[in-house]
């Protein structure tokens, strides 16, 4: 696909690594920015990311590896950001290259803490990127299953049909199926909220609740998600589609889910700090919980699950007692 626009991926974690793998199925060249110089050298020598998805072998001739974000952004027409939401602002402070005319794609499933905005809105308001040049990548899709080339599904949210088609073509393969929607706001909030509900699901498991309760919890979670998103952005959408319900289910139930893992540790008695220290990856739901809770003070949606997770993570409430109260609010 040498005639396609140029892509750059910003980030060195598991999701960024998976996205580079997907793009490498279709593109002759991809710019890949990561801060870790040691990881870059490891990829050049041994053809894999030493820290994430190390089973994935890359053709280094396809990769323009750099630890300078400006080089990567300068190269690309389409820039995919795949770093934790809490780290986006510090990374952008190093960027002096203009984003004008570039298509900005968020693969970040979180809210920017400095502005309390979802990523698309943040780029629109902070960097004047028109919504026609903004896209969002959501699941249901785990990086680990991309690495194994197991059949996976992506949803691309983008208002511009031409940009959406380019992104779809460049990410699709025999193991990646892509669906397109114009619900940028809804799908991005769904990607944020599902991480909170996955933490709740993990907490329930850690506390000893069984499959029956977790099924009830997920049933209530999708209805709670619908109420929240409807308050934020009212439009016609089917909350049972894969970008919403599908992504929620895979994040809530999969053993690959870092948010479920984080919640499970909290349920078993870990403190927030000790759970974060033991995990090698960022659990976006931790940051999302505070942002969603604060945002909902303005929206006023009924969110007992988000409130319970917030009380445990930020108010130090006892998980066992908090979940006992939560069970009385679910149906």
């Amino acid at each position: 696909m040498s005639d396609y626009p140029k892509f750059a991926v910003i980030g060195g974690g598991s999701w960024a690594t998976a996205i580079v793998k997907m793009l490498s199925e279709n593109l002759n060249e991809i710019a890949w920015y990561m801060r870790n110089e040691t990881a870059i050298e490891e990829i050049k020598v041994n053809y894999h990311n030493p820290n994430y998805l190390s089973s994935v072998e890359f053709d280094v001739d396809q990769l323009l590896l750099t630890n300078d974000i400006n080089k990567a952004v300068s190269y690309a027409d389409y820039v995919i950001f795949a770093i934790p939401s809490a780290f986006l602002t510090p990374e952008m402070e190093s960027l002096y290259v203009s984003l004008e005319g570039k298509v900005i794609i968020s693969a970040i499933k979180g809210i920017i803490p400095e502005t309390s905005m979802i990523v698309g809105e943040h780029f629109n308001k902070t960097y004047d990127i028109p919504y026609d040049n903004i896209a969002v990548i959501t699941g249901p899709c785990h990086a680990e299953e991309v690495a194994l080339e197991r059949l996976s599904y992506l949803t691309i949210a983008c208002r511009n049909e031409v940009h959406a088609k380019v992104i779809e073509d460049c990410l699709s393969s025999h193991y990646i199926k892509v669906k397109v929607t114009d619900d940028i706001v809804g799908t991005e909030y769904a990607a944020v909220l599902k991480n909170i509900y996955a933490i709740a699901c993990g907490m329930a498991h850690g506390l000893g609740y069984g499959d029956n309760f977790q099924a009830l919890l997920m049933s209530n979670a999708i209805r709670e998600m619908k109420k929240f998103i409807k308050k934020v952005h009212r439009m016609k959408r089917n909350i049972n589609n894969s970008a919403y319900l599908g992504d929620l289910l895979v994040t809530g139930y999969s053993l690959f889910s870092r948010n479920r893992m984080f919640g499970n540790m909290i349920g078993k008695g870990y403190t927030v700090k000790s759970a974060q220290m033991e995990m090698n990856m960022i659990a976006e739901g931790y940051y999302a919980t505070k942002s969603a809770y604060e945002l909902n003070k303005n929206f006023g949606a009924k969110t007992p699950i988000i409130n319970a997770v917030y009380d445990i993570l930020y108010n130090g409430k006892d998980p066992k007692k908090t979940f006992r109260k939560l069970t009385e609010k679910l149906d």
Side-chain angles (χ1 to χ4, degrees):
M1 288 192 177
S2 57
D3 56 333
Y4 266 76
K6 296 177 180 178
F7 276 73
V9 177
I10 309 300
S14 58
W15 192 218
T17 304
I19 290 171
V20 173
K21 174 178 169 56
M22 288 185 262
L23 291 172
S24 67
E25 302 285 356
N26 297 303
L27 300 178
N28 297 325
E29 196 172 65
I30 306 124
W32 189 3
Y33 161 79
M34 60 178 74
R35 288 183 298 169
N36 191 327
E37 291 184 57
T38 303
I40 289 174
E41 292 307 313
E42 179 78 16
I43 294 170
K44 289 179 178 178
V45 174
N46 294 315
Y47 316 122
H48 66 85
N49 186 339
N51 301 314
Y52 302 94
L53 306 186
S54 56
S55 64
V56 176
E57 188 169 301
F58 291 101
D59 178 354
V60 293
D61 290 335
Q62 286 181 282
L63 305 178
L64 296 176
L65 291 156
T66 179
N67 66 342
D68 182 348
I69 192 172
N70 291 285
K71 287 184 179 179
V73 173
S74 294
Y75 165 87
D77 305 300
Y78 288 66
V79 184
I80 303 177
F81 286 86
I83 56 179
S85 58
F87 302 154
L88 179 62
T89 298
E91 287 289 1
M92 294 299 288
E93 288 174 354
S94 303
L95 183 69
Y96 55 78
V97 171
S98 173
L99 295 174
E100 185 177 356
K102 297 183 184 294
V103 178
I104 304 301
I105 307 166
S106 169
I108 301 172
K109 299 172 182 179
I111 293 175
I112 308 302
E114 292 83 2
T115 59
S116 296
M117 296 177 185
I118 51 176
V119 181
E121 182 184 16
H122 177 78
F123 272 106
N124 174 256
K125 303 295 184 186
T126 307
Y127 300 100
D128 296 320
I129 308 297
Y131 272 111
D132 260 15
N133 281 4
I134 292 173
V136 175
I137 299 175
T138 64
C141 187
H142 275 307
E144 291 80 2
E145 292 202 355
V146 173
L148 296 169
E149 298 191 4
R150 291 180 177 171
L151 183 61
S152 302
Y153 291 77
L154 295 177
T155 301
I156 306 299
C158 184
R159 294 180 184 176
N160 185 300
E161 292 182 3
V162 174
H163 297 332
K165 179 60 177 172
V166 169
I167 300 166
E168 177 185 3
D169 288 349
C170 291
L171 290 173
S172 297
S173 68
H174 66 92
Y175 59 92
I176 300 293
K177 307 300 180 186
V178 180
K179 180 181 179 182
V180 174
T181 176
D182 61 354
D183 185 16
I184 296 176
V185 175
T187 53
E188 194 162 10
Y189 268 108
V192 171
L193 296 174
K194 54 99 176 182
N195 287 331
I196 305 172
Y197 299 130
I199 290 177
C201 200
M203 286 177 174
H205 184 266
L207 288 166
Y209 288 90
D211 292 344
N212 294 337
F213 175 74
Q214 291 189 58
L216 177 77
L217 182 64
M218 289 293 98
S219 175
N220 278 263
I222 192 62
R223 284 178 277 155
E224 185 172 302
M225 178 188 287
K226 181 179 181 179
K227 292 172 186 174
F228 189 105
I229 296 175
K230 191 174 181 180
K231 289 279 188 180
V232 179
H233 185 241
R234 184 185 291 269
M235 69 171 283
K236 186 177 181 180
R237 63 173 63 86
N238 185 351
I239 202 71
N240 295 320
N241 282 347
S242 59
Y244 315 97
L245 178 58
D247 209 7
L248 169 65
L249 292 176
V250 74
T251 309
Y253 286 127
S254 175
L255 296 178
F256 289 129
S257 170
R258 66 194 71 175
N259 290 284
R260 178 188 166 91
M261 184 190 306
F262 177 71
N264 186 52
M265 294 168 74
I266 300 297
K268 288 183 179 296
Y270 283 73
T271 64
V272 169
K273 187 173 182 180
S274 61
Q276 288 175 324
M277 288 177 65
E278 186 153 321
M279 290 182 65
N280 186 37
M281 298 177 287
I282 298 293
E284 280 278 18
Y286 171 73
Y287 302 102
T289 299
K290 184 176 182 180
S291 297
Y293 180 85
E294 294 295 336
L295 283 170
N296 197 43
K297 289 179 179 178
N298 297 323
F299 301 145
K302 188 178 180 181
T303 56
I305 303 174
I306 293 174
N307 296 349
V309 175
Y310 178 84
D311 277 341
I312 293 167
L313 297 182
Y314 288 94
N315 290 333
K317 295 292 181 68
D318 178 69
K320 188 176 293 185
K321 292 179 180 178
T322 304
F323 261 74
R324 192 178 299 129
K325 292 178 182 177
L326 177 63
T327 62
E328 301 300 320
K329 299 175 183 178
L330 305 180
D331 55 39

